[in-house]
Amino acid sequence: MELHHEFTVPVPVDDAWRALLDVERIAPCMPGATVDDYDGKTVTGSVKVKVGPITVTYRGTAVFEEQDESAHRMVLIANGKETRGQGTARATVTGTLAERDGGTAVSVRTDLTVTGRPAQFGRGVMAEVGDKLVGQFAECLARRLGEPTERTEPSEPAEPFQAAQPVQPVQPVQPVEPIDLLRTAGPPVAKRVAVAVATAVLALVFVRIRRHRHA
């Protein structure tokens, strides 16, 4: 399926371009995503998706196949596979940036192929979920672009020697929340999904009853 999204960030196009390539900086804005490694071209990580009571984790890589700074155009190819299943996800993401009223208009086209449990929702639901996720990402990105990248602390005179203080325990890293398809889609879509899931469950029960009778 092909999805198209647009959003605007309140910074010049060159600043937005550098920010979108700074994967580690914008990673917290990506719902459900965890970045394990990035070498400037290839991103390795995972994405968690929640479907009702079931959480599906995709692990894989995303590779920048194109980074045209003069045209402000990038192409990202991502591949992932379920860690506990046979489902797969593949996406070719093409992003273009353009100056607009002192800010930057970002256009994103995604050619997405999904197999496994999330695929049962179809294009309509996936498109609505995509719209909301991109909206959340754009809001988070705009906030981060407004934050200073470096902070200079005022110099202070050296303090006299003091005994070493006890080391404070390291706070545990908060787990990444998965993308909740039903919650993100909203009540109208969730209702349609619930009907589809219920129908699938009934069909499965019916098939099992028939198999039991034949046995």
Side-chain angles (χ1 to χ4, degrees):
M1 71 183 72
E2 185 172 300
L3 306 174
H4 183 210
H5 300 97
E6 292 186 350
F7 60 90
T8 303
V9 289
V11 296
V13 65
D14 289 333
D15 292 345
W17 172 261
R18 287 191 294 269
L20 287 173
L21 292 180
D22 189 350
V23 173
E24 294 175 339
R25 182 184 178 191
I26 66 173
C29 292
M30 304 175 186
T34 299
V35 174
D36 297 328
D37 186 56
Y38 176 52
D39 62 7
K41 182 178 180 180
T42 302
V43 184
T44 302
S46 61
V47 176
K48 292 183 179 181
V49 180
K50 186 177 181 182
V51 185
I54 302 172
T55 298
V56 180
T57 300
Y58 293 91
R59 289 197 59 82
T61 59
V63 180
F64 282 99
E65 291 292 323
E66 181 181 336
Q67 295 182 15
D68 188 340
E69 185 173 1
S70 60
H72 294 119
R73 181 178 186 272
M74 63 181 73
V75 178
L76 183 73
I77 297 180
N79 290 279
K81 186 179 184 302
E82 286 185 33
T83 57
R84 296 182 179 180
Q86 299 301 315
T88 61
R90 175 181 172 83
T92 299
V93 183
T94 303
T96 55
L97 284 65
E99 196 84 32
R100 179 180 295 174
D101 300 328
T104 300
V106 183
S107 175
V108 182
R109 289 190 177 276
T110 306
D111 185 2
L112 176 66
T113 302
V114 180
T115 65
R117 283 163 285 193
Q120 66 185 307
F121 297 144
R123 186 186 186 285
V125 174
M126 297 300 289
E128 292 187 53
V129 171
D131 289 343
K132 294 192 176 183
L133 292 179
V134 169
Q136 294 174 16
F137 173 79
E139 291 177 3
C140 177
L141 179 62
R143 289 195 303 270
R144 285 190 169 268
L145 289 177
E147 299 173 353
T149 54
E150 295 183 0
R151 296 181 180 179
T152 303
E153 298 294 339
S155 58
E156 296 180 356
E159 296 182 357
F161 174 79
Q162 296 180 353
Q165 298 296 320
V167 178
Q168 297 296 324
V170 177
Q171 296 297 323
V173 178
Q174 295 297 324
V176 175
E177 289 294 326
I179 303 171
D180 192 328
L181 291 185
L182 299 186
R183 181 181 300 175
T184 303
V189 176
K191 184 176 180 180
R192 297 202 305 268
V193 172
V195 171
V197 172
T199 302
V201 171
L202 288 175
L204 180 61
V205 171
F206 178 71
V207 169
R208 289 184 174 179
I209 290 176
R210 291 191 61 185
R211 287 179 179 176
H212 179 72
R213 287 179 176 177
H214 285 302

